[in-house]
Amino acid sequence: LSAVDFYYLGMLHWLADNADGATENLQKFLATEDAAPPQAQSARSVLITISARRKNLAGAEKIYADYLKTNVFEPRERLRTETELAKSFYAQKEFARAAPHAETAYQLTKEGLAENASRARALAEILDAAQTVFEIYRDDGDRERAEKT
């Protein structure tokens, strides 16, 4: 199979909720020299989500570091990635590691307000992101930062 075949096969597995198949094929795609940057970023985003949901936060952070090295970001995808990492670190009570991701997600939702097709959806996303930031700081005992949110 070609690199692009591994990418689309991985994405099909992802859509079918087959995390193992998605991981296997997207890793094969990223290991090729023909991985186009936009598709590589999408593959990394999915792999970050899978790792975070499996509570493999060290693996998620390693992929995230590669994700940040390439300056190609689709805003909605970056929002999902940051949100997933924030909520996963928060669930593990790693507030200091959750906060930067939550702050980035909150900023991305505010920046995307005008571009969102549905104002109601955009406002709901902003509220959800703000609530996540608030809860992280509240549970970390940082009342001042929680109240600033």
Side-chain angles (χ1 to χ4, degrees):
L1 296 175
S2 71
V4 75
D5 291 333
F6 284 121
Y7 172 77
Y8 285 112
L9 186 56
M11 288 304 199
L12 285 171
H13 280 287
W14 175 241
L15 289 172
D17 288 328
N18 179 357
D20 292 334
T23 299
E24 177 185 346
N25 287 286
L26 293 175
Q27 286 176 338
K28 286 179 182 178
F29 167 70
L30 290 172
T32 68
E33 294 179 15
D34 299 331
Q39 292 171 326
Q41 288 297 77
S42 292
R44 289 183 188 102
S45 177
V46 168
L47 291 171
I48 291 166
T49 299
I50 291 170
S51 294
R53 289 181 182 174
R54 290 180 168 173
K55 297 179 176 54
N56 177 8
L57 298 177
E61 280 198 316
K62 183 177 181 290
I63 301 164
Y64 179 73
D66 290 338
Y67 182 81
L68 291 180
K69 286 178 189 175
T70 305
N71 201 18
V72 176
F73 301 111
E74 193 281 306
R76 305 278 317 150
E77 186 175 83
R78 174 94 191 264
L79 172 60
R80 285 189 301 272
T81 300
E82 297 290 351
T83 300
E84 194 70 45
L85 286 168
K87 290 184 177 188
S88 293
F89 281 120
Y90 176 71
Q92 297 298 310
K93 300 194 183 318
E94 294 190 41
F95 306 122
R97 292 170 77 190
H101 297 293
E103 291 277 3
T104 300
Y106 183 42
Q107 184 63 37
L108 289 168
T109 58
K110 292 189 293 185
E111 289 172 4
L113 176 64
E115 298 165 13
N116 205 315
S118 165
R119 185 160 175 80
R121 178 179 170 182
L123 292 173
E125 287 175 352
I126 291 171
L127 179 60
D128 182 57
Q131 184 174 350
T132 300
V133 172
F134 171 82
E135 289 172 353
I136 289 167
Y137 288 133
R138 178 199 63 200
D139 292 353
D140 196 29
D142 191 341
R143 183 179 178 167
E144 183 180 332
R145 288 178 90 178
E147 289 177 356
K148 284 184 181 179
T149 306

